[in-house]
Amino acid sequence: MHRGVGLAAFDKEQLSQRFAKLSSELSKTQVDNLQSQLTQFRTALLHFATTHRDSIRSDPAFRHEFQQMCSSIGVDPLAGPRKGGWWAEILGMGDWQYELGVQIVDVCVSTRQRNGGVIEMGELVRMVSKLRGVESGPGVVTEEDVTRSIKTLQPLGAGYEVLDVGGGKKMVRSVVKELDADQAVILAEAQVEGGRIVEAILENRRGWTRDRARAALENMLLRDGLCWLDSQDEHYGRAYWVPSAMRWDE
């Protein structure tokens, strides 16, 4: 009777080992198939990028389509075996991308004193384009180009990040500080108002209390340096100006 139990346990152990071996063989086959598919995919992507390299490098619209194609199939063009990823390995755009990154840093640092380290994306693109001497036509810099370059800056740990403040509006942060939800709302409303924001706007549009609006604006003014105070506003007596939401002519 005890022997029967021992034999049953032995049979179960053998069956378990067989299942484990079969599972291992299936996993290896699946991995081999996946590896083969990835190799074929990389070859096809390499062929496409090589064939259209000049168009991708010079035409921002074509570059956008290439980026969208990569995103739709889950490929990050900045990832790859070489520093700079696909952009450097296949397109030879590594130096271009890092040069753009240096110019982004230049603009962000030079404007930090007035905007507190947060700049509107369109303003950043415009100033970088002016710095490069290319504001239209082939070679023009796009928001996607800037976003990609900012991604390459993240390992520096300087806080560079693209922020979505709602309503299709984006801003770029260049300091190591987190924006809270209320600040993001204020930035979005300031964008709509050309930089000027008052407590009444937050109360009427967002349903905030007067105390909440005042506290959030005062924090941006005194704690974070992200806005200026106009204590002689002709309509409300007290208004705040957010430099990162204002348009500058320089």
Side-chain angles (χ1 to χ4, degrees), residues 5-245:
V5 172
L7 288 173
F10 181 72
D11 289 341
K12 288 181 180 179
E13 183 178 350
Q14 281 189 327
L15 185 61
S16 176
Q17 290 175 348
R18 289 173 183 172
F19 274 122
K21 182 179 180 181
L22 178 60
S23 176
S24 177
E25 290 175 351
L26 287 174
S27 297
K28 184 178 184 304
T29 300
Q30 291 172 338
V31 169
D32 289 343
N33 288 336
L34 178 60
Q35 188 65 45
S36 175
Q37 292 174 13
L38 288 175
T39 299
Q40 293 175 8
F41 168 75
R42 186 182 185 282
T43 301
L45 182 60
L46 175 62
H47 176 72
F48 177 87
T50 302
T51 302
H52 301 285
R53 177 183 299 167
D54 291 341
S55 296
I56 294 173
R57 296 183 63 171
S58 63
D59 185 347
F62 199 93
R63 191 160 62 244
H64 168 77
E65 293 300 327
F66 179 73
Q67 172 79 22
Q68 292 298 104
M69 180 187 71
C70 289
S71 298
S72 68
I73 54 180
V75 173
D76 181 357
L78 283 174
R82 283 183 51 189
K83 186 176 181 181
W86 293 97
W87 293 101
E89 181 182 5
I90 299 177
L91 303 175
M93 291 181 66
D95 292 341
W96 184 89
Q97 198 74 62
Y98 287 112
E99 176 188 306
L100 179 59
V102 170
Q103 291 167 333
I104 289 170
V105 171
D106 188 7
V107 170
C108 288
V109 171
S110 66
T111 60
R112 190 176 293 165
Q113 186 173 1
R114 78 175 183 219
N115 59 31
V118 179
I119 184 170
E120 194 266 329
M121 173 65 84
E123 182 72 6
L124 177 58
V125 170
R126 186 181 69 83
M127 295 184 69
V128 168
S129 297
K130 187 174 181 179
L131 188 64
R132 296 173 68 88
V134 182
E135 298 187 51
S136 62
V140 70
V141 173
T142 67
E143 287 191 9
E144 284 184 339
D145 296 330
V146 170
T147 299
R148 261 195 318 274
S149 284
I150 287 175
K151 188 174 181 180
T152 69
L153 296 174
Q154 288 179 347
L156 298 178
Y160 286 86
E161 183 181 0
V162 177
L163 307 172
D164 188 343
V165 296
K169 301 291 185 179
K170 294 180 180 179
M171 291 192 167
V172 174
R173 185 185 66 195
S174 61
V175 290
V176 186
K177 69 169 70 170
E178 293 290 336
L179 292 180
D180 60 38
D182 283 359
Q183 289 174 329
V185 168
I186 292 172
L187 288 174
E189 292 295 346
Q191 285 272 316
V192 175
E193 297 297 320
R196 178 178 173 275
I197 189 79
V198 295
E199 295 167 9
I201 290 176
L202 299 171
E203 294 173 43
N204 297 332
R205 295 181 186 171
R206 301 288 180 162
W208 290 10
T209 63
R210 175 64 58 92
D211 289 341
R212 179 182 178 182
R214 172 72 59 94
L217 288 166
E218 287 295 303
N219 280 338
M220 289 185 68
L221 173 69
L222 302 174
R223 184 189 67 192
D224 303 315
L226 293 176
C227 64
W228 301 337
L229 173 65
D230 177 3
S231 59
Q232 298 180 347
D233 183 76
E234 59 182 8
H235 297 294
Y236 294 92
R238 187 182 183 89
Y240 299 82
W241 287 88
V242 181
S244 58

